[in-house]
Amino acid sequence: PVFVEPRRTNEMERILSQYRAAACEQGAVLLCVVGGKLSEGINFNDDLGRVVVVVGLPFPNSADLEYQEKMRFLAERHGSSQAQEHSKLVCMKGVNQSIGRAIRHRNDYAAVVLLDQRYVSAAWAVGGLPAWMRPSYRACRDFASVMRELGPFWAAMRSASSS
């Protein structure tokens, strides 16, 4: 089954409960928004989160007045390049928090699939990933390559968990 992060907070516990039950029984998909209700503060450790897929790069909303003021302040004080760097840091913080929802302890694992060309072409995006993750980073240009990379990963994880 596929579950979607609810818009209303009062539906959160029901969706999470249904997701947890389905994930433990047969597997399930939970679609969330980076920076949304489920991307921070809730753990999806062990079998509750074995794959994290991040679609795009979650840059801050440029129409947000608080964000505009912060960018203006940084540009005035430190130059426009510093303001752009801040925007990239905020973006990668969201990506890393999303990854961190599924990988919660030393023996936990999850495949992380980053779907955006900029994870291949922009050095700052890969450089913004957690240091522990960078050695296992693989750039794939198509879905078949992603599947080829995931096969050995899952085989290694099954082997490690059975020993």
Side-chain angles (χ1 to χ4, degrees):
V2 177
F3 299 89
V4 178
E5 177 177 1
R7 290 183 185 266
R8 288 187 249 145
T9 304
N10 64 349
E11 297 175 343
M12 185 80 72
E13 195 51 47
R14 179 182 57 82
I15 294 293
L16 278 175
S17 178
Q18 291 174 347
Y19 169 75
R20 284 184 181 115
C24 293
E25 289 174 22
Q26 70 216 30
V29 174
L30 178 61
L31 302 174
C32 304
V33 176
V34 174
K37 297 171 190 75
L38 295 175
S39 66
E40 297 176 24
I42 297 176
N43 298 332
F44 297 101
N45 55 297
D46 302 320
D47 290 337
L48 292 178
R50 289 296 187 212
V51 180
V52 175
V53 179
V54 179
V55 179
L57 286 163
F59 281 99
N61 180 356
S62 60
D64 179 72
L65 291 177
E66 186 177 332
Y67 175 73
Q68 289 175 359
E69 285 301 310
K70 175 85 172 189
M71 295 300 283
R72 186 180 61 74
F73 172 81
L74 288 171
E76 287 175 1
R77 294 282 166 98
H78 305 288
S80 62
S81 64
Q82 187 65 29
Q84 291 172 355
E85 283 303 308
H86 172 74
S87 184
K88 292 173 186 175
L89 287 172
V90 171
C91 171
M92 292 310 296
K93 177 182 176 188
V95 171
N96 293 332
Q97 284 179 329
S98 296
I99 293 168
R101 297 302 96 216
I103 304 172
R104 301 304 300 165
H105 56 81
R106 181 185 167 121
N107 295 319
D108 205 358
Y109 62 91
V112 177
V113 180
L114 305 169
L115 296 177
D116 193 296
Q117 179 62 31
R118 292 168 290 184
Y119 289 112
V120 175
S121 62
W124 64 264
V126 175
L129 294 172
W132 58 264
M133 188 177 156
R134 283 185 232 137
S136 61
Y137 172 83
R138 304 286 182 273
C140 298
R141 298 203 179 267
D142 56 49
F143 187 70
S145 300
V146 171
M147 296 309 290
R148 277 194 300 277
E149 289 290 337
L150 288 177
F153 170 79
W154 290 119
M157 293 301 102
R158 279 193 297 275
S159 174
S161 65
S162 65
S163 56

